[in-house]
Amino acid sequence: MHDRPHLVLIGPMGAGKTTLGRLLAQQMQRPFVDLDTVIVQAAGVTIPLLFQREGEHGFRKRERAALADVLAGTPAVIATGGGVVLDPDNRHALRRHGYVVYLRVSLATQLHRLHGDTSRPLLDTPDPAARLAALQAQRERLYLETADLVFDADAGSPEALSTALAARLNSTGACCA
Ligand code: S3P
């Protein structure tokens, strides 16, 4: 078996990790795992409620445990949450067990895709644009440090982006055969 069997998508909120991940998993005939969904299923409450009850710290603890479980499981396409790279152990585990793709998007694309969203507690603020910019300023370096491949995901339909990313992955030959 490949020693880094998973294909992992990282990047900020609104990058399209879940949408693209699902399509890629179909194309690659692999299971798709959305890490936020795993966390929600384990907690039995929504992410906003989880943040309310346990704070961001509690959420990160659950995120770390869920990631370790998923990485120990069947080879999959994994969509992570935007903050997964904050934890050094997560970054190490991602690189050890996965081929990691950073989906890079502009702030404008994030804002467009996240308009009206109420499922992300970190955006529950009077100025979501400023929050997204601040998070990106903090995290960009971590995304770049963790990724094997940077993929610009601003333009194009999800289907076109997924096909283009699959082609890039095939051409590198490095990913999760
Ligand atoms: C978060 C991103 C969210 C979710 C949580 C925290 C973050 O996932 O994990 O709300 O810290 O950026 P998405 O990136 O899938 O929106």
Side-chain angles (χ1 to χ4, degrees):
M1 196 211 266
H2 203 284
D3 63 346
R4 295 167 71 199
H6 303 281
L7 173 63
V8 185
L9 302 180
I10 62 171
M13 292 179 266
K17 302 178 295 287
T18 302
T19 305
L20 223 59
R22 194 169 278 126
L23 288 168
L24 262 181
Q26 275 168 16
Q27 269 176 317
M28 295 172 76
Q29 300 188 315
R30 283 171 168 242
F32 170 68
V33 179
D34 182 71
L35 196 61
D36 281 341
T37 303
V38 174
I39 297 166
V40 165
Q41 280 168 354
V45 293
T46 63
I47 291 182
L49 211 51
L50 197 51
F51 267 67
Q52 209 176 303
R53 287 191 186 162
E54 302 179 14
E56 182 171 351
H57 180 74
F59 173 79
R60 298 292 171 211
K61 235 173 111 178
R62 288 178 178 274
E63 184 177 51
R64 187 161 52 241
L67 180 67
D69 274 0
V70 167
L71 289 176
T74 313
V77 175
I78 304 168
T80 58
V84 77
V85 294
L86 292 171
D87 183 309
D89 290 343
N90 286 352
R91 297 199 296 277
H92 180 76
L94 287 169
R95 288 198 57 84
R96 180 159 156 61
H97 299 289
Y99 185 87
V100 183
V101 178
Y102 167 29
L103 296 186
R104 185 163 57 186
V105 289
S106 65
L107 178 61
T109 295
Q110 281 181 275
L111 282 170
H112 177 69
R113 292 190 185 151
L114 296 167
H115 183 73
D117 180 87
T118 54
S119 67
R120 292 167 171 96
L122 294 179
L123 298 185
D124 186 9
T125 147
D127 191 348
R131 172 62 57 82
L132 284 169
L135 289 172
Q136 188 62 9
Q138 176 196 23
R139 296 172 176 179
E140 166 88 9
R141 179 181 62 82
L142 303 175
Y143 293 137
L144 291 171
E145 167 190 316
T146 311
D148 293 288
L149 177 73
V150 179
F151 183 75
D152 283 312
D154 256 326
S157 67
E159 290 75 14
L161 286 169
S162 167
T163 302
L165 178 51
R168 278 280 292 279
L169 293 171
N170 275 338
S171 74
T172 69
C175 169
C176 34

